[in-house]
Amino acid sequence: MDIGIISMRYAKALMEYAKGTGAEETLYERFRMLDRSFRKHPDLRMALDNPVLTIREKFALICTAASGDAPAGREFTRFITLVLKNRRENFLQYICLSFLNLYRKDKHIGVGRLITAVPVSRAVWERIHDSASSLLHASMELHTEVDPSIEGGFIFDINDFRLDACIATQLKKVKQQFIDKNRRIV
């Protein structure tokens, strides 16, 4: 079976269950934390794929990754138990991403990422956040990153669109134009 089909089925079922119990927001926060853990620690996925670990160890690992020291919550633990019982732990990251996308669509939440060469001030962050919210007619989750390799300017990803106004990209374009021009001459 296809990874996307399985993960979407689990995510849709969880979304319906969460709506029925009123636990959408808490599950969303748990899955956001779990997504961060998967991104930050790629070994987590390898550990879940490891057949040597018992189901209890995998359960404890997932709950710790999703909630830290805080209690994971009844709905989250029931869902993780279901996933582990059905031996679908290798799809958990995709289930997590599918659930986050479904929740964001349902609640009209846009996701933005701002990459700059230097940290942005709080005032600039709020201005970009408010502008993007009004443009999308939705609430926004705006994450900022500092990447000195872009040399200046910014890269702004919002949902599936990218606005690349960094100096590094502009220099690459100018370099490519010179290369193309010189090829025609020779």
Side-chain angles (χ1 to χ4, degrees):
M1 255 189 140
D2 189 23
I3 293 171
I5 293 171
I6 294 171
S7 60
M8 189 53 80
R9 282 184 182 168
Y10 275 85
K12 283 181 180 178
L14 179 62
M15 189 68 176
E16 289 300 315
Y17 175 72
K19 283 182 179 180
T21 60
E24 293 169 281
E25 196 169 317
T26 57
L27 283 172
Y28 178 67
E29 291 303 319
R30 293 289 173 254
F31 278 104
R32 277 184 63 195
M33 182 69 166
L34 185 61
D35 178 45
R36 262 186 250 129
S37 296
F38 273 121
R39 289 177 198 226
K40 208 177 219 185
H41 307 288
D43 296 338
L44 175 61
R45 183 162 173 180
M46 287 189 295
L48 293 177
D49 290 340
N50 188 350
V52 175
L53 289 177
T54 65
I55 289 178
R56 287 179 188 231
E57 291 171 330
K58 289 180 182 182
F59 179 80
L61 186 63
I62 293 167
C63 288
T64 302
S67 60
D69 296 333
R74 180 175 172 262
E75 290 82 8
F76 183 78
T77 56
R78 287 186 69 198
F79 180 74
I80 297 303
T81 304
L82 175 72
V83 169
L84 292 172
K85 180 181 158 197
N86 292 334
R87 305 294 233 168
R88 300 294 193 190
E89 59 268 13
N90 52 338
F91 299 113
L92 188 59
Q93 185 174 14
Y94 302 110
I95 294 169
C96 175
L97 293 172
S98 297
F99 178 78
L100 291 173
N101 285 337
L102 286 174
Y103 181 86
R104 287 175 180 146
K105 261 187 203 169
D106 188 54
K107 301 294 182 184
H108 304 290
I109 299 173
V111 179
R113 186 173 72 150
L114 178 65
I115 304 169
T116 58
V118 295
V120 295
S121 66
R122 184 70 184 169
V124 170
W125 183 91
E126 287 177 2
R127 195 165 150 208
I128 292 171
H129 178 269
D130 294 342
S131 297
S133 292
S134 65
L135 181 69
L136 290 177
H137 304 293
S139 58
M140 277 295 299
E141 287 180 6
L142 181 62
H143 308 285
T144 59
E145 293 178 24
V146 175
D147 184 7
S149 68
I150 67 171
E151 299 177 10
F154 63 90
I155 300 172
F156 185 56
D157 295 325
I158 186 165
N159 292 342
D160 294 330
F161 301 102
R162 174 172 269 205
L163 175 62
D164 191 346
C166 71
I167 292 176
T169 302
Q170 292 175 3
L171 289 173
K172 285 179 191 174
K173 286 180 183 177
V174 169
K175 179 181 175 184
Q176 191 60 43
Q177 287 174 352
F178 280 128
I179 290 172
D180 291 344
K181 239 182 202 177
N182 287 333
R183 281 188 187 152
R184 284 187 245 151
I185 294 172
V186 176

